[in-house]
Amino acid sequence: MSFKFNFFDDNKENDNANDLKESYQKIVPKEASVTPYNPASINLLFSQWKEITVGSQTYTYLRDVDTSSLSDVALRSDLVPDVYEGGFEVWECTIDLLNFLQNNKDEVETNSAVLDLGCGSGLLGIFAKQACPQSTVHFQDFNMEVISNFTIKNYHKNCGHHSSHNVKFISGDWSSMSHILAKYDLILTAETLYSVESQKKVLKVLEDHLADEGVAYVASKRHYFGVGGGVVEFQNLVSKSGTLKCEVVWSCTTGLLRDILKVSKC
């Protein structure tokens, strides 16, 4: 699967997109209210769930998501910057990072505060909560619509027996997160380096919210053609930061080139 970026064909749709960007820029980052886990209500959605097996673990997520609260303009593309950031998809790099984490469970089991940054489906945070139920896990996505209609429901389906203890769901732009995010021992993020602007925001989150002894795993395509994003560009940003360092810990070198970076404080 690859990103399908939104390029509008006429001035009317461009105007609609710009109006949407202005409205979303006015939204203040906030924590979602979470209804208590209700097995009966989750099971009523049985026909809408899809299973995906990664290594030895099977995850369940909604395949038919209620997107009625999102604009038609946003839903014509996998990504409309500052309007819809692709949260209703499960991307290749999420699967890559899940595989990597299953082979390196000690990275999760020894950490008590975890952030799933740009969480979308929430599968990375779900893995962390299942691996270490006593951990604190925060899920963050740009769109509250994604958090409410996708992330929280997926969490309840996979982690209902863990209730909502030490779990938060947060929406908002990365550049406005400093007052609502904490310090984290482990930050997990996938497919968030897709543009130059997004890379700068991810870097800032890591600088501000990664604990001194913490680590972040960033899974990304090596190149996002046409928008300037990718692994090499982010490595350069990290190198220039003076506060962070990174190394490649996994790569796919055939087909669609992808990497996983391990980022830590200098």
Side-chain angles (χ1 to χ4, degrees):
M1 186 184 298
S2 58
F3 273 119
K4 178 179 61 181
F5 289 97
N6 195 68
F7 297 99
F8 297 105
D9 294 328
D10 54 57
N11 291 331
K12 182 179 179 180
E13 292 206 341
N14 257 321
D15 291 341
N16 289 339
N18 289 331
D19 290 343
L20 283 167
K21 288 181 181 180
E22 290 181 5
S23 66
Y24 271 92
Q25 286 167 359
K26 297 176 183 177
I27 296 176
V28 176
K30 59 183 177 180
E31 181 182 344
S33 58
V34 183
T35 56
Y37 171 61
N38 183 341
S41 65
I42 292 296
N43 290 336
L44 283 175
L45 300 171
F46 70 93
S47 64
Q48 301 177 33
W49 295 108
K50 181 177 180 178
E51 289 189 345
I52 183 170
T53 300
V54 182
S56 59
Q57 184 70 34
T58 297
Y59 302 89
T60 307
Y61 65 94
L62 278 173
R63 62 181 179 184
D64 297 316
V65 185
D66 178 9
T67 59
S68 59
S69 56
L70 273 180
S71 162
D72 288 342
V73 173
L75 294 174
R76 290 175 195 167
S77 175
D78 291 332
L79 187 146
V80 182
D82 300 323
V83 176
Y84 168 63
E85 300 286 346
F88 284 126
E89 301 288 339
V90 177
W91 301 100
E92 298 98 337
C93 293
T94 297
I95 307 304
D96 293 339
L97 190 47
L98 282 172
N99 265 312
F100 176 84
L101 292 170
Q102 286 189 22
N103 293 323
N104 297 271
K105 283 189 175 181
D106 57 315
E107 293 286 0
V108 178
E109 293 171 345
T110 58
N111 286 289
S112 58
V114 182
L115 173 64
D116 184 347
L117 182 68
C119 61
S121 64
L123 294 181
L124 297 174
I126 286 168
F127 172 86
K129 192 64 174 175
Q130 290 179 334
C132 189
Q134 69 271 27
S135 63
T136 294
V137 180
H138 291 176
F139 297 81
Q140 181 279 331
D141 195 86
F142 181 83
N143 297 99
M144 179 57 76
E145 297 90 339
V146 171
I147 290 288
S148 300
N149 297 320
F150 198 34
T151 316
I152 292 176
K153 291 178 181 179
N154 292 341
Y155 176 80
H156 279 328
K157 180 65 174 176
N158 291 274
C159 300
H161 55 292
H162 296 309
S163 185
S164 297
H165 182 61
N166 290 336
V167 175
K168 286 185 180 180
F169 299 88
I170 302 164
S171 69
D173 186 87
W174 295 324
S175 63
S176 305
M177 289 276 111
S178 59
H179 70 290
I180 199 169
L181 295 179
K183 288 284 188 179
Y184 300 96
D185 304 298
L186 178 65
I187 297 178
L188 305 172
T189 189
E191 303 280 14
T192 53
L193 306 183
Y194 49 80
S195 71
V196 172
E197 187 62 30
S198 70
Q199 290 181 7
K200 294 177 182 177
K201 293 179 180 180
V202 170
L203 182 74
K204 181 64 173 172
V205 171
L206 298 187
E207 287 179 325
D208 292 347
H209 298 286
L210 189 63
D212 288 343
E213 301 301 322
V215 295
Y217 288 101
V218 182
S220 175
K221 295 181 178 67
R222 197 166 296 176
H223 304 287
Y224 292 89
F225 295 100
V227 286
V231 169
V232 175
E233 292 81 3
F234 186 70
Q235 286 175 305
N236 290 336
L237 279 179
V238 170
S239 178
K240 293 176 182 177
S241 72
T243 59
L244 299 172
K245 59 183 178 180
C246 69
E247 60 178 314
V248 177
V249 293
W250 178 90
S251 294
C252 175
T253 56
T254 59
L256 188 61
L257 305 181
R258 308 185 303 279
D259 299 293
I260 296 175
L261 299 176
K262 180 178 181 180
V263 183
S264 57
K265 292 289 182 73
C266 292

